[in-house]
């Protein structure tokens, strides 16, 4: 069974840091690119960061560029999101996303995690 399980969320003060983890199972992790999305209350889901299945290229939303870093460990089948210099506007549920490399956005080979809450508040 395919699973994406996020962890590492919580409450942090502005300027603080968190590292989110997404543990994947049930598919060949090395063949999938991995994204992090987030959704704040009343807002649309937003792409935060993208990591390819191979290589080192990464992509970030302008709002988090320079503060967040996505990385993956293909041995542990885990993708991470290191979040530094957190701001109140980063408050959202953060979701892990997997898509089979070479497929389109309507592919059946797309999986979502359940999400983990990040709250940035003083």
């Amino acid at each position: 069974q395919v699973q994406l399980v996020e962890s590492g969320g919580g409450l942090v003060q502005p300027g603080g840091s968190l590292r989110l983890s997404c543990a994947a199972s049930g598919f060949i992790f090395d063949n999938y690119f991995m994204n992090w999305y987030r959704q704040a209350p009343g807002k649309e889901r937003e792409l935060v960061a993208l990591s390819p299945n191979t290589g080192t290229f990464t992509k970030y939303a302008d709002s988090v560029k320079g503060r967040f870093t996505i990385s993956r460990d293909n041995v542990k089948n885990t993708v991470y999101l290191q979040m530094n210099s957190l701001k109140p506007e980063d408050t959202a549920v953060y979701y892990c996303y997997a898509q089979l490399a070479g497929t389109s956005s309507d592919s059946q080979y797309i999986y979502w995690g359940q999400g983990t809450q990040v709250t940035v508040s003083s």
Side-chain angles (χ1 to χ4, degrees):
Q1 183 177 354
V2 171
Q3 287 193 82
L4 297 174
V5 181
E6 301 99 332
S7 62
L11 175 64
V12 65
Q13 293 184 347
S17 297
L18 287 173
R19 189 177 76 158
L20 306 184
S21 298
C22 174
S25 61
F27 61 95
I28 302 174
F29 186 79
D30 296 6
N31 292 342
Y32 283 70
F33 65 84
M34 305 294 297
N35 297 354
W36 286 97
Y37 286 80
R38 68 185 181 186
Q39 188 167 26
K43 305 296 183 181
E44 295 185 352
R45 191 168 295 184
E46 172 191 21
L47 176 64
V48 175
L50 180 151
S51 177
N53 65 313
T54 185
T56 58
F57 173 80
T58 55
K59 186 177 178 66
Y60 300 92
D62 288 343
S63 59
V64 308
K65 195 172 298 181
R67 299 187 298 118
F68 290 12
T69 303
I70 188 170
S71 61
R72 64 190 292 160
D73 186 332
N74 286 354
V75 175
K76 296 182 178 180
N77 288 359
T78 301
V79 63
Y80 305 94
L81 186 67
Q82 178 67 46
M83 305 185 295
N84 298 326
S85 301
L86 283 161
K87 304 175 181 179
E89 53 262 43
D90 295 319
T91 296
V93 177
Y94 284 71
Y95 296 91
C96 184
Y97 168 102
Q99 182 175 332
L100 180 64
T103 66
S104 301
S105 60
D106 61 350
S107 171
Q108 65 177 311
Y109 303 109
I110 292 175
Y111 309 106
W112 290 89
Q114 292 182 323
T116 185
Q117 177 71 46
V118 172
T119 302
V120 184
S121 177
S122 59

